[in-house]
């Protein structure tokens, strides 16, 4: 039976027709089928740009939440306004050739204006910690909005004090004094100022490849050309070699605290990491050549975020902190991306390195997407900073404090730290299997739901996969219903940092999509 007969039978199914009607319909449909076939064949011959989704796309897990139907501004009008009235950088950072127009979110899911559902594995750049529009957090925000939107800390109001006491309880002594800000850049900017005032020194050291913000001061801490401008910025900031055991000159198969190690050969004796010694040697050389004998601070993310989920040798931070303190500096842990249980094994990333910083900065997951940040420090450093007046109009806003307090409760009640550990470890283990399968997957790394997959031209050279190839795979993953991020100095690392409420079923769906996208690329290549 040919296609025209099949379609004809479908038309007639469950219908009672007269012989005349049947004869007429058959003549009409045959003519239609011949015409349509000719048109389609012609379009195919002309290599139509229309891309039809493959029939073997992995099946997305079910979701009981029903998104509202979008009835707002057209996509065309939004892009027109974006180009004309939004700052030009919004166009530069817009992901995908065909942008995703987000309309609504719930837990790990996002819906676009056309009603298509996506599994969100990037969480608004590692920001949505417990889930989009989480019912508990949303209820806390609504309740506070009905009571008091705003007042400042020149008055004494309950949400501020309730939250500060609660947040302080998550830190070891002597980290017990809290400054609330509106963003991570602002928190890091404040930490720089506090470190300099407390130590009486000026120079600050960070890693190459780091990202600590985009304000004029934190731009100096950030070590990635894409975020730099040709102006004087971040005076007194020096970047030292990042102890990256995959891309750096030294590294082996036992260096890092991760379920997955590099595939580089390692001949180190048990408990003795030669790569760590080499990277510490580079830090010592920075002290000897690039900064004064006394410094103000050392900034370090426990795992680099924008840098591509880069991990260091296990004892690196412990030895680095010791050297920094010998030079008069304070040690600052940037937990903007690693904090609030995302690494799974610990609530704070620094705890996985067995160190206690002098200051901890945070943002993103602190408010599940509500604009908020914080600096947590010691009473001694806080006393040094109290010599002048520091005031922040919106820092510690009542709504922000209510939201952030609910986030802490929800992390405990929903067991999200354990989810990060279990699902994250499973994802990395499965991704490591794909690394063995595909030559272009160079490295899989991370802890919990802070995961990086570094893509290469080949494993021998470890040269970054080209931006064009990265974009091909990136688009394919999106088209199959998953949103992830990119990072690394060369944009060569896929970043997987979802809301900490995803399930094993979600993980399996992503693995099927990721495998399919790599397979598609390899076939095209």
């Amino acid at each position: 039976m040919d296609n025209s007969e099949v379609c004809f039978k479908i038309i007639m199914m469950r219908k009672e027709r007269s012989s005349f009607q049947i004869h007429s319909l058959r003549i009409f449909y045959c003519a239609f089928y011949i015409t349509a076939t000719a048109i389609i064949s012609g379009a195919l011959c002309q290599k139509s740009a229309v891309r039809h989704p493959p029939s073997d796309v992995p099946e997305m897990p079910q979701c009981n939440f029903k998104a509202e139907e979008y009835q707002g501004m057209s996509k065309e009008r939004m892009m027109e306004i974006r180009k004309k009235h939004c700052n030009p950088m919004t166009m530069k950072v817009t992901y995908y050739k065909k942008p995703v127009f987000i309309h609504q979110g719930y837990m790990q899911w996002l819906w676009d204006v056309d009603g298509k559902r996506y599994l969100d594995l990037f969480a608004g750049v590692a920001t949505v910690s417990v889930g989009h529009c989480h019912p508990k957090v949303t209820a806390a925000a609504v309740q506070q909005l009905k009571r008091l939107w705003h007042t400042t800390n020149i008055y004494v109001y309950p949400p501020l004090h309730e939250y500060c006491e609660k947040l302080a309880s998550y830190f070891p002594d002597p980290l017990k004094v809290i400054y609330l800000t509106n963003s991570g850049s602002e928190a890091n900017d404040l930490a720089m100022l506090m470190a300099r005032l407390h130590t009486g020194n000026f120079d600050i050291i960070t890693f190459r490849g780091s990202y600590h913000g985009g304000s004029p001061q934190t731009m100096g801490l950030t070590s990635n050309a894409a975020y730099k401008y040709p102006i004087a910025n971040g005076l007194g900031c020096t970047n030292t070699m990042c102890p990256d055991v995959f891309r750096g000159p030294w590294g082996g198969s036992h260096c890092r605290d991760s379920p997955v190690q590099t595939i580089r050969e390692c001949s180190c004796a048990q408990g003795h990491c030669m790569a760590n010694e080499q990277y510490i040697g580079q830090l010592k050389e920075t002290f000897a050549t690039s900064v004064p004998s006394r410094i103000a601070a050392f900034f370090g993310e426990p795992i680099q975020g924008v840098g591509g989920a880069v991990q260091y040798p296990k004892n690196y931070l412990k030895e680095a902190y010791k050297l920094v303190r010998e030079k008069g500096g304070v040690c600052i842990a940037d937990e903007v991306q690693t904090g609030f249980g995302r690494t799974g094994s610990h609530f704070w990333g620094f705890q996985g390195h067995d160190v206690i910083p002098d200051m901890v900065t945070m943002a993103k997951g602190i408010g599940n997407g509500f604009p908020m940040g914080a600096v947590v420090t010691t009473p001694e450093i806080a006393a040094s900073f109290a010599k002048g007046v520091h005031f922040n109009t919106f820092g510690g806003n009542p709504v922000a404090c209510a939201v952030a307090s609910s986030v802490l409760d929800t992390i405990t009640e929903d067991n999200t730290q354990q989810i990060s550990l279990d699902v994250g470890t499973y994802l990395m283990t499965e991704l490591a299997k794909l690394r063995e399968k595909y030559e272009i997957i160079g490295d899989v790394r991370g802890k919990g739901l802070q995961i990086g997959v570094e893509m290469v031209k080949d494993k021998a050279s470890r040269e970054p996969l080209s931006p064009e190839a990265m974009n091909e795979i990136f688009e394919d993953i999106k088209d199959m219903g998953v949103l992830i991020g990119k990072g690394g100095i060369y944009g060569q690392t896929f970043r997987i940092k979802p809301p900490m409420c995803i399930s094993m079923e979600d993980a399996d769906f992503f693995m099927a999509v990721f495998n399919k996208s790599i397979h598609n690329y390899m076939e095209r290549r």
Side-chain angles (χ1 to χ4, degrees):
M1 186 184 298
D2 66 16
N3 287 340
S4 63
E5 281 294 315
V6 171
C7 293
F8 175 75
K9 285 184 179 292
I10 292 171
I11 291 173
M12 300 306 300
M13 196 176 295
R14 297 178 185 171
K15 302 282 186 181
E16 290 191 5
R17 309 282 185 182
S18 70
S19 59
F20 175 78
Q21 287 175 319
I22 292 171
H23 182 68
S24 300
L25 278 169
R26 185 182 292 277
I27 293 170
F28 167 80
Y29 187 76
C30 287
F32 171 80
Y33 177 75
I34 292 167
T35 305
T37 301
I39 292 170
I40 292 168
S41 299
L44 288 174
C45 289
Q46 294 174 30
K47 295 184 179 180
S48 169
V50 176
R51 184 179 176 188
H52 298 283
S55 58
D56 56 346
V57 170
E59 185 176 352
M60 183 177 287
Q62 294 296 310
C63 173
N64 294 326
F65 183 84
K66 184 174 175 57
E68 299 171 5
E69 183 181 351
Y70 178 73
Q71 297 179 331
M73 186 182 291
S74 71
K75 290 187 284 188
E76 293 75 18
R77 182 61 180 148
M78 280 190 273
M79 290 306 294
E80 186 181 321
I81 293 170
R82 194 172 179 89
K83 292 174 182 176
K84 186 175 181 180
H85 296 300
C86 296
N87 84 72
M89 193 55 61
T90 59
M91 286 303 300
K92 189 172 182 179
V93 300
T94 299
Y95 269 11
Y96 307 114
K97 293 175 184 176
K98 291 183 179 179
V100 178
F101 293 79
I102 297 299
H103 163 51
Q104 192 167 359
Y106 180 76
M107 302 305 282
Q108 67 268 49
W109 304 106
L110 289 170
W111 285 262
D112 68 14
V113 297
D114 297 317
K116 180 176 178 179
R117 178 161 57 103
Y118 297 88
L119 176 62
D120 182 12
L121 296 189
F122 200 34
V125 193
T127 299
V128 179
S129 48
V130 296
H132 291 284
C133 299
H134 192 292
K136 297 172 189 173
V137 181
T138 301
V142 170
Q143 185 179 35
Q144 186 58 49
L145 280 166
K146 290 178 178 178
R147 183 182 299 124
L148 179 68
W149 278 39
H150 176 73
T151 185
T152 74
N153 53 30
I154 61 175
Y155 306 113
V156 182
Y157 51 97
L160 173 67
H161 304 84
E162 291 166 359
Y163 180 64
C164 285
E165 181 182 44
K166 188 180 291 186
L167 182 60
S169 71
Y170 284 80
F171 284 93
D173 288 328
L175 294 166
K176 296 296 179 182
V177 183
I178 296 166
Y179 295 78
L180 295 175
T181 66
N182 304 292
S183 72
S185 292
E186 187 183 336
N188 284 338
D189 202 291
L190 178 59
M192 293 175 73
L193 177 60
M194 295 172 76
R196 285 169 168 160
L197 289 172
H198 177 69
T199 62
N201 304 322
F202 190 71
D203 288 73
I204 299 174
I205 294 174
T206 60
F207 288 135
R208 293 175 196 159
S210 62
Y211 180 84
H212 297 285
S215 68
Q217 285 297 311
T218 58
M219 203 183 295
L221 300 179
T222 294
S223 178
N224 187 318
Y227 299 94
K228 297 285 191 179
Y229 288 88
I231 57 170
N233 63 78
L235 299 178
C237 295
T238 298
N239 306 125
T240 193
M241 179 181 285
C242 177
D244 180 349
V245 299
F246 174 72
R247 181 155 298 284
W250 307 286
S253 55
H254 303 288
C255 289
R256 61 195 183 202
D257 178 20
S258 173
V260 180
Q261 299 291 336
T262 71
I263 57 174
R264 298 176 74 173
E265 293 296 326
C266 182
S267 58
C268 295
Q270 186 69 29
H272 182 80
C273 181
M274 290 186 291
N276 186 54
E277 292 176 359
Q278 297 288 350
Y279 288 117
I280 287 294
Q282 289 295 307
L283 178 59
K284 289 178 178 178
E285 189 164 324
T286 299
F287 283 132
T289 61
S290 305
V291 294
S293 59
R294 307 291 287 175
I295 66 169
F298 166 79
F299 261 87
E301 301 165 87
I303 299 173
Q304 279 194 348
V306 175
V310 175
Q311 290 182 282
Y312 326 127
K314 293 171 188 172
N315 292 315
Y316 181 91
L317 282 186
K318 184 179 285 189
E319 294 183 39
Y321 275 27
K322 182 175 182 292
L323 292 172
V324 167
R325 285 166 174 155
E326 288 173 357
K327 296 289 183 181
V330 296
C331 300
I332 303 170
D334 181 335
E335 295 274 0
V336 169
Q337 293 198 27
T338 50
F340 299 93
R342 180 162 290 279
T343 63
S345 60
H346 299 88
F347 199 83
W348 304 110
F350 69 78
Q351 293 170 315
H353 295 272
D354 193 25
V355 296
I356 297 180
D358 302 293
M359 278 191 261
V360 181
T361 61
M362 64 203 71
K364 292 188 182 287
I366 190 174
N368 199 44
F370 195 94
M372 192 177 188
V375 178
V376 181
T377 190
T378 67
E380 183 184 8
I381 293 175
S384 299
F385 192 55
K387 295 171 184 176
V389 176
H390 169 74
F391 184 76
N392 188 319
T393 301
F394 294 104
N397 168 276
V399 179
C401 288
V403 167
S405 182
S406 180
V407 167
L408 288 177
D409 293 342
T410 302
I411 288 171
T412 300
E413 292 165 10
D414 290 6
N415 208 20
T416 59
Q417 185 176 327
Q418 190 64 45
I419 292 172
S420 292
L421 180 62
D422 295 342
V423 180
T425 300
Y426 174 73
L427 268 171
M428 279 182 273
T429 304
E430 292 300 302
L431 285 164
K433 294 176 184 177
L434 293 189
R435 180 183 63 181
E436 304 308 311
K437 181 178 178 181
Y438 295 110
E439 180 67 14
I440 62 170
I441 300 180
D443 196 30
V444 175
R445 54 181 176 256
K447 285 186 70 178
L449 291 173
Q450 176 92 338
I451 301 171
V453 182
E454 183 153 349
M455 309 299 289
V456 295
K457 290 181 179 177
D458 59 81
K459 288 184 172 69
S461 69
R462 286 175 289 154
E463 288 185 32
L465 193 64
S466 70
E468 295 77 20
M470 288 292 292
N471 287 338
E472 276 190 50
I473 299 167
F474 197 56
E475 294 277 346
D476 212 12
I477 293 169
K478 179 261 292 184
D479 289 345
M480 286 188 273
V482 180
L483 304 179
I484 60 173
K486 287 189 291 185
I489 295 175
Y490 308 103
Q492 79 280 17
T493 303
F494 289 125
R495 298 165 65 197
I496 302 160
K497 303 175 183 188
M500 298 183 291
C501 57
I502 66 167
S503 67
M504 289 293 187
E505 189 181 10
D506 299 329
D508 284 333
F509 170 61
F510 167 68
M511 289 306 306
V513 166
F514 192 63
N515 179 53
K516 177 67 178 170
S517 66
I518 301 295
H519 176 77
N520 289 348
Y521 170 75
M522 297 300 286
E523 279 200 330
R524 290 191 297 268
R525 191 171 78 162

